[in-house]
Amino acid sequence: MSVTAAKGFTAAGIAAGIKENGNPDLALVVNNGPRRAAAGVFTANRVKAAPVLWSEQVLKSGQLAAVVLNSGGANACTGPKGFQDTHATAEKAAEVLGVGAGEVAVCSTGLIGVLLPMDKLLPGVETAAGQLSEHGGEKAAIAIKTTDTVHKTSVAGKDSWTVGGMAKGAGMLAPGLATMLVVLTTDADVDSETLDKALRDATKVTFDRVDSDGCMSTNDTVLLLASGASGLTPAYDDFAEAVRQVCDDLGQQLIRDAEGASKDIKVEVINAATEADAVEVGRSIARNNLLKCAVHGEDPNWGRVLSAIGTTKAAFEPDRLNVAVNGVWVCKNGGVGEDRDKVDMRYREVHIVADLCAGDATATIWTNDLTADYVHENSAYSS
Amino acid sequence: MSVTAAKGFTAAGIAAGIKENGNPDLALVVNNGPRRAAAGVFTANRVKAAPVLWSEQVLKSGQLAAVVLNSGGANACTGPKGFQDTHATAEKAAEVLGVGAGEVAVCSTGLIGVLLPMDKLLPGVETAAGQLSEHGGEKAAIAIKTTDTVHKTSVAGKDSWTVGGMAKGAGMLAPGLATMLVVLTTDADVDSETLDKALRDATKVTFDRVDSDGCMSTNDTVLLLASGASGLTPAYDDFAEAVRQVCDDLGQQLIRDAEGASKDIKVEVINAATEADAVEVGRSIARNNLLKCAVHGEDPNWGRVLSAIGTTKAAFEPDRLNVAVNGVWVCKNGGVGEDRDKVDMRYREVHIVADLCAGDATATIWTNDLTADYVHENSAYSS
């Protein structure tokens, strides 16, 4: 159901010819109101793509009427011309939808350093506008895929209001955020400040803790639009929980579709002195190439986990560290623990628990294994 | 010539049976004086192997009579028993050499979390002591190999004094330091304070800027021993330069032997506001898995370089960044520059220059590409 699960939204997804292979590459999401509140979270990368610079700007009003998304080109590192192209895209959408360009966000994904084929993109916006539908969410989700093998959608809610969304992303996943484009919609009657708070609270513990390969993108964007069409204003906690659920579900779908991955790795850090310590340790473990290779080989190599913990500034004593892999405490008190032959790593999900024995804070980071397929997919073999 | 290039040193390398395949696995380096000054630099990892904890302690006196090194086991994460084993190793060497155990450093390399076979190691120390020779440097260098495909030695010096050394390391190379064991010797008549300063100055710009896979080891040790046997005390600058040369040469040999690598990548950051900025940016580029895959595929993907720069806190403006790959400025002013088809990446060495346009500081970080062979070597296929 994607972005059209919530009342008040229409969407479309078409093939505009931006991708040379003719696959769908342009999506349009429209908020038909009555409310048009919106919030956004963007990449922490200081090299930001033109659509990110544009969308950050228009979001300052807390209002969005529509979002145009394209795959087939990131429009990043494209200079002033790239920014003009994003502006022209928003103008075109504004014109055909009868709204202001300052109410239109733009998201792009694909190769960096290449200008978009505007002669195809602009007519595509018009075509997509002609196909807008309350059932268009699925097609929109398909049109934003790049190396994604599946499209990703999710829905949550309570009583008679809904939060729904779509995501794209399959690599370059890293905190602050992954290379992901995410559009969430809701028919709850919520103002932009509330949307902003709920979105930041949710991304902090979901997308920001998905770390596929430690590489941060120039284009990451997560938008949340509210139509108010349900006429209901949920309690904040209920609403925030629904947003978190959808973000969590989409984040899981991103990890499961990570490039070349054969294992999804849940790194759970427990008994940390602070949540920040837990996140730092979790990220350090999740980014350790040697550990990621070991997991690929179904080798419960806890020495790699300890080495990774040792590079952090978190509070811990080396001789009090414990590590479990799939429920077996292979490392106890910083040394050999239970028999590592008891660890069963045949299944796709691998669960690593790092016990810091330094407090009661916890955090979970998701990553995946490092495989020869990842290397192949990201070397020139595939380009 | 290795550690016995300088006068006053003897060494040996033997197969003690620590490695199951019967390869050489135990080295002994002895300083016969007249001086026995020494300095050391150790891993910044907070999870330190027993031999690191021991050697840090004995180095506090600024004196070393001998170094025992073993491959075939890291003696890391081995608890109190592991530390006792290191202590026993030093005691054994002290006994057979007629020195104090507090003058014996110990270095170990190999798998983490496994106790050393002391019933083989201790007799091995005695055997090695019986084979000490002024020509033993080569054998010592061979005995410390793990996944190294070649042994690594280097010599520098001036007039009638010499600095020589040996290194082992082939993966887990990372700043603060790589998984490397390095023993340097000199017959210059230099006190331990001078040795310490020269060694820290040298490692800071050599081993600390070799970053094979971003993973920091529990065992890294670099030792510098002075016998004073030449009777000469060089000017500090001359001596420091010789130490830097040997460290630089050995560091290059480590990168060229990195696990699975097909390309050596020299990341040179120029026009940074500060040297710290240059190092931070260089490291971020050198650790970007997507870039490392692209280089493997001979793809001059400058977008990956900009994405990596963008994750740092260094001073720069995105629209003033320039990037050259093998002499071709493929990115100018943050956007498309010269024709990327002009870039020739057929050879093993790849030179990436990142121009931050923010000052006049510079730094060079060495890394290598990410390959399917790296994945295979570090997954259970190889263990």
Side-chain angles (χ1 to χ4, degrees):
Chain A
M1 291 290 284
S2 177
V3 288
T4 47
K7 289 184 287 287
F9 292 91
T10 51
I14 65 152
I18 305 166
K19 285 180 182 165
E20 289 183 3
N21 63 10
N23 283 344
D25 50 20
L26 190 87
L28 187 58
V29 180
V30 176
N31 183 352
N32 300 297
R35 193 190 262 280
R36 283 175 165 172
V41 179
F42 300 90
T43 181
N45 200 310
R46 290 168 58 201
V47 175
K48 294 181 205 296
V52 169
L53 294 171
W54 171 266
S55 298
E56 277 186 331
Q57 195 60 36
V58 300
L59 247 297
K60 285 186 179 163
S61 68
Q63 293 270 115
L64 277 186
V67 186
V68 184
L69 307 97
N70 77 274
S71 52
N75 198 5
C77 307
T78 44
K81 178 68 172 74
F83 193 81
Q84 285 166 27
D85 287 348
T86 293
H87 190 176
T89 303
E91 288 281 5
K92 183 70 181 178
E95 177 198 325
V96 298
L97 297 172
V99 299
E103 295 172 286
V104 180
V106 180
C107 303
S108 299
T109 178
L111 276 183
I112 294 176
V114 183
L115 288 167
L116 290 169
M118 296 305 289
D119 57 329
K120 290 171 180 161
L121 199 153
L122 294 181
V125 172
E126 200 155 346
T127 305
Q131 297 184 16
L132 284 167
S133 152
E134 288 173 10
H135 308 287
E138 207 79 10
K139 283 193 174 173
I142 290 167
I144 58 175
K145 285 168 59 185
T146 54
T147 56
D148 305 64
T149 63
V150 293
H151 64 282
K152 290 127 185 149
T153 67
S154 184
V155 175
K158 203 170 170 181
D159 306 329
S160 44
W161 56 270
T162 295
V163 177
M166 64 179 182
K168 94 99 211 168
M172 284 182 69
L173 304 180
L177 307 160
T179 287
M180 54 175 69
L181 300 183
V182 178
V183 180
L184 308 176
T185 57
T186 182
D187 46 22
D189 195 13
V190 179
D191 61 27
S192 61
E193 288 74 20
T194 306
L195 293 178
D196 189 68
K197 177 163 168 44
L199 186 61
R200 284 178 198 283
D201 287 353
T203 55
K204 191 180 157 215
V205 295
T206 56
F207 296 124
D208 268 356
R209 295 188 183 175
V210 163
D211 194 330
S212 162
D213 62 5
C215 298
M216 193 196 292
S217 151
T218 52
N219 286 60
D220 303 320
T221 302
V222 183
L223 301 173
L224 171 56
L225 286 66
S227 69
S230 71
L232 297 168
T233 302
Y236 176 77
D237 287 350
D238 290 343
F239 179 68
E241 173 57 18
V243 173
R244 197 201 56 76
Q245 269 181 36
V246 171
C247 290
D248 190 46
D249 184 25
L250 290 173
Q252 293 297 311
Q253 292 181 49
L254 293 173
I255 273 289
R256 284 200 294 275
D257 199 25
E259 285 171 352
S262 70
K263 303 280 187 192
D264 305 329
I265 310 173
K266 180 183 184 180
V267 180
E268 188 180 358
V269 180
I270 63 171
N271 299 323
T274 64
E275 186 176 346
D277 272 10
V279 171
E280 184 191 358
V281 168
R283 247 193 240 313
S284 178
I285 296 170
R287 289 184 171 187
N288 189 282
N289 278 352
L290 289 167
L291 175 67
K292 287 155 73 95
C293 288
V295 170
H296 178 53
E298 303 188 348
D299 172 9
N301 195 327
W302 58 268
R304 305 301 195 204
V305 178
L306 258 61
S307 293
I309 297 172
T311 65
T312 70
K313 296 193 172 77
F316 71 86
E317 293 300 325
D319 59 0
R320 293 193 64 195
L321 295 171
N322 305 303
V323 177
V325 180
N326 285 354
V328 181
W329 289 94
V330 285
C331 169
K332 285 185 179 171
N333 298 318
V336 178
E338 293 179 60
D339 184 0
R340 43 172 285 153
D341 290 341
K342 287 185 187 162
V343 182
D344 183 353
M345 296 180 75
R346 287 173 298 170
Y347 301 101
R348 186 170 173 104
E349 187 171 323
V350 174
H351 186 193
I352 294 173
V353 180
D355 173 6
L356 302 189
C357 275
D360 56 11
T362 184
T364 297
I365 305 284
W366 283 88
T367 187
N368 47 261
D369 57 345
L370 179 58
T371 69
D373 287 345
Y374 174 89
V375 174
H376 291 144
E377 194 158 340
N378 288 294
S379 68
Y381 298 127
S382 64
S383 72
Chain B
M1 293 287 283
S2 177
V3 289
T4 48
K7 289 184 287 291
F9 292 91
T10 50
I14 64 152
I18 305 166
K19 285 181 182 164
E20 289 184 2
N21 63 10
N23 283 344
D25 49 21
L26 188 87
L28 185 59
V29 180
V30 176
N31 183 352
N32 301 297
R35 195 190 261 283
R36 283 175 165 172
V41 179
F42 300 91
T43 181
N45 201 309
R46 290 169 58 202
V47 175
K48 293 182 206 297
V52 169
L53 295 171
W54 171 266
S55 299
E56 277 186 330
Q57 194 61 35
V58 300
L59 248 298
K60 286 188 178 162
S61 67
Q63 294 269 116
L64 276 186
V67 185
V68 183
L69 306 97
N70 77 273
S71 52
N75 197 5
C77 308
T78 44
K81 178 68 173 73
F83 191 81
Q84 285 167 25
D85 288 347
T86 293
H87 189 175
T89 303
E91 289 279 5
K92 182 71 181 178
E95 175 198 327
V96 297
L97 297 171
V99 300
E103 296 173 284
V104 180
V106 180
C107 303
S108 299
T109 178
L111 277 183
I112 295 177
V114 182
L115 288 168
L116 290 169
M118 297 305 288
D119 57 328
K120 291 171 181 162
L121 199 153
L122 294 182
V125 171
E126 201 156 344
T127 306
Q131 298 185 15
L132 285 167
S133 153
E134 288 174 9
H135 309 286
E138 208 78 11
K139 284 195 173 171
I142 290 168
I144 59 175
K145 286 169 59 187
T146 55
T147 57
D148 305 64
T149 64
V150 293
H151 64 282
K152 291 127 185 152
T153 67
S154 185
V155 175
K158 204 172 171 179
D159 307 327
S160 44
W161 56 270
T162 297
V163 177
M166 64 179 184
K168 94 97 212 170
M172 285 182 69
L173 304 181
L177 308 159
T179 286
M180 54 176 68
L181 300 184
V182 178
V183 179
L184 308 176
T185 57
T186 181
D187 46 22
D189 195 14
V190 180
D191 62 25
S192 60
E193 289 73 23
T194 306
L195 292 178
D196 190 68
K197 176 163 168 45
L199 186 61
R200 283 178 199 282
D201 286 354
T203 55
K204 190 181 158 214
V205 295
T206 55
F207 296 124
D208 268 357
R209 295 188 183 173
V210 163
D211 195 330
S212 163
D213 62 5
C215 298
M216 192 196 293
S217 150
T218 50
N219 286 59
D220 303 320
T221 302
V222 183
L223 301 174
L224 172 55
L225 286 66
S227 69
S230 71
L232 297 168
T233 303
Y236 176 76
D237 288 350
D238 289 343
F239 179 67
E241 173 58 19
V243 173
R244 196 201 56 76
Q245 268 181 37
V246 172
C247 289
D248 190 45
D249 184 25
L250 291 172
Q252 293 296 312
Q253 294 181 47
L254 293 173
I255 274 290
R256 284 200 295 276
D257 198 25
E259 286 171 352
S262 70
K263 304 280 188 193
D264 304 328
I265 310 174
K266 179 183 183 178
V267 179
E268 188 180 356
V269 181
I270 63 172
N271 298 323
T274 63
E275 187 178 344
D277 273 10
V279 171
E280 183 190 0
V281 167
R283 247 194 242 310
S284 178
I285 295 169
R287 289 185 171 185
N288 189 280
N289 278 352
L290 289 166
L291 175 67
K292 288 156 72 95
C293 287
V295 169
H296 179 52
E298 304 188 347
D299 173 9
N301 195 327
W302 58 268
R304 305 301 195 203
V305 178
L306 260 62
S307 294
I309 297 172
T311 64
T312 70
K313 295 192 172 79
F316 71 87
E317 292 300 325
D319 59 1
R320 294 193 65 196
L321 294 172
N322 305 303
V323 177
V325 180
N326 285 355
V328 181
W329 288 94
V330 286
C331 168
K332 286 184 179 173
N333 298 319
V336 179
E338 294 178 59
D339 184 359
R340 44 173 283 154
D341 291 341
K342 288 184 185 162
V343 182
D344 183 353
M345 296 179 76
R346 285 174 297 169
Y347 302 101
R348 184 169 174 106
E349 186 171 321
V350 173
H351 186 191
I352 295 174
V353 181
D355 174 6
L356 302 188
C357 276
D360 56 12
T362 183
T364 297
I365 304 283
W366 284 88
T367 186
N368 47 261
D369 57 343
L370 180 57
T371 69
D373 285 346
Y374 174 88
V375 174
H376 291 145
E377 196 159 338
N378 288 295
S379 67
Y381 298 128
S382 65
S383 72

